Amino acid sequence: MMERGPLQDASLTELSKTWVACRMTGGDENPSPGIDAFMARYGVDGFPTCLVLSADGALLKTAGNVMQPPEILAAARDGAAIEADFQAFKKAVEKFDDPALWGALAKAYADRLERSRAVEVLAKLAQSDSSPRRLEALARAQGEAGDHKAALAT
């Protein structure tokens, strides 16, 4: 059970209908299991940090030192808007199947820390355009995905 604090505030009732709040602790005293890998994956370097993640763990928004209910609610709303925009963009890219948009989709995946999906999109792009510039972008993305997987494995 979560202790009393900002996530228990009655003003966040709306948020609790569509989002799951999670409190993790770090440091030397009673750290949450897997906290080091979590912090590395999402670039957290201190507490408190408010992250808004999609259902599949994609980073939507980092709100930093946010601890008051109005700020938490605003961060969640921003995250929901970011996710809706991303899903609409992804749907448009898939509908039009335009290689000119694949690079932008790959960057959007990378920004969400979904590097393996970014590499998949770039691989599709490389199959349609094997120019040196495209192949160099693919190699860079694959390198980033490898670094990302290594960070999660530790």
Side-chain angles (χ1 to χ4, degrees):
M1 174 165 226
M2 194 176 298
E3 62 202 50
R4 293 284 309 154
L7 295 177
Q8 297 294 316
D9 190 279
S11 67
L12 296 180
T13 303
E14 172 193 340
L15 184 65
S16 68
K17 293 176 184 174
T18 54
W19 295 84
V20 175
C22 175
R23 179 176 184 265
M24 298 181 78
T25 58
D28 296 331
E29 294 184 34
N30 199 22
S32 297
I35 191 67
D36 293 333
F38 180 88
M39 289 176 69
R41 176 176 182 177
Y42 294 108
V44 175
D45 58 7
F47 294 99
T49 298
C50 179
L51 302 176
V52 179
L53 308 174
S54 70
D56 59 358
L59 179 64
L60 302 177
K61 181 170 180 77
T62 300
N65 191 8
V66 171
M67 287 305 292
Q68 298 307 313
E71 297 165 320
I72 294 169
L73 190 56
R77 285 182 179 147
D78 288 350
I82 291 166
E83 180 66 1
D85 289 348
F86 173 78
Q87 292 302 328
F89 175 66
K90 181 176 135 186
K91 193 175 200 176
V93 170
E94 291 168 353
K95 178 181 178 182
F96 294 109
D97 197 27
D98 181 353
L101 297 175
W102 296 343
L105 180 60
K107 180 172 180 351
Y109 274 127
D111 290 347
R112 293 165 53 94
L113 300 180
E114 295 183 274
R115 290 195 173 90
S116 62
R117 289 188 179 164
V119 169
E120 289 171 15
V121 172
L122 287 173
K124 183 176 179 179
L125 182 58
Q127 290 172 355
S128 71
D129 177 1
S130 60
S131 70
R133 191 182 102 222
R134 294 285 188 218
L135 294 176
E136 182 180 303
L138 176 60
R140 246 190 342 268
Q142 287 174 327
E144 289 174 4
D147 293 344
H148 179 67
K149 289 175 186 173
L152 290 176
T154 59

